Amino acid sequence: MVGIGLEELGVDDFVKGKFFDGDLYIDTKKQCYKDMGYKRYNVLNIAGAILSKSSRAAQALAKKESIPGDMKGDGWQNGGTLIVSKGGEKVLLDYRQENAADHVPLADVFSALGIEGSPAANAAGSAEEPKVVYKDDTCYKQ
């Protein structure tokens, strides 16, 4: 499992928070973002994105959940989630952010990985649900 970020800002907190358990890389030139065709905002379209319904909803939820934001870093770049089969022969999921508030639904990630059940049930560690294990560059159910 690999994660690619676009700057060093926040990486230490991300790692300490255990938000991802895989190899992390930083693409400061944002070349992979360009190659993947991920959207980048500019001065003409950023205001609409910030004031969009989905962005306002995400800000309200963050406030309700007491999730702080610091407005630091490159907020102009959107990203996505790409899941490929072992060996890279097949794309299992190609999710691209349409706006900064977008996130891939966990149910879509579970489906792409062939994991049955709801993300909430898996997160709860229910005995009936499989545990997802990452080993030797492979995710599998145990």
Side-chain angles (χ1 to χ4, degrees):
M1 203 164 9
V2 174
I4 302 173
L6 52 94
E7 59 194 349
E8 292 183 21
L9 181 67
V11 170
D12 289 337
D13 290 335
F14 188 77
V15 171
K16 286 177 188 172
K18 299 181 181 180
F19 295 106
F20 184 77
D21 187 22
D23 295 331
L24 292 174
Y25 298 91
I26 300 171
D27 179 8
T28 57
K29 294 181 182 177
K30 302 175 186 83
Q31 190 60 51
C32 69
Y33 290 80
K34 293 173 192 167
D35 292 346
M36 292 294 296
Y38 290 147
K39 183 178 183 178
R40 181 161 178 84
Y41 291 106
N42 59 48
V43 294
L44 300 176
N45 62 14
I46 191 73
I50 292 171
L51 299 173
S52 72
K53 183 178 180 180
S54 60
S55 183
R56 289 191 323 270
Q59 291 167 9
L61 179 61
K63 185 176 181 179
K64 177 182 173 189
E65 300 290 329
S66 300
I67 300 171
D70 60 18
M71 301 301 284
K72 294 178 183 175
D74 184 351
W76 302 86
Q77 182 67 60
N78 276 353
T81 300
L82 180 66
I83 300 175
V84 296
S85 63
K86 186 175 181 178
E89 296 92 20
K90 184 178 177 186
V91 174
L92 304 176
L93 176 69
D94 183 3
Y95 179 86
R96 296 163 184 268
Q97 281 183 300
E98 288 298 317
N99 61 60
D102 276 351
H103 290 85
V104 63
L106 289 179
D108 292 357
V109 173
F110 274 48
S111 177
L113 294 173
I115 300 170
E116 295 179 13
S118 71
N122 278 277
S126 165
E128 297 84 36
E129 299 294 335
K131 178 180 177 186
V132 179
V133 177
Y134 171 75
K135 184 177 179 184
D136 300 325
D137 297 326
T138 306
C139 286
Y140 60 92
K141 295 182 282 186
Q142 187 176 43

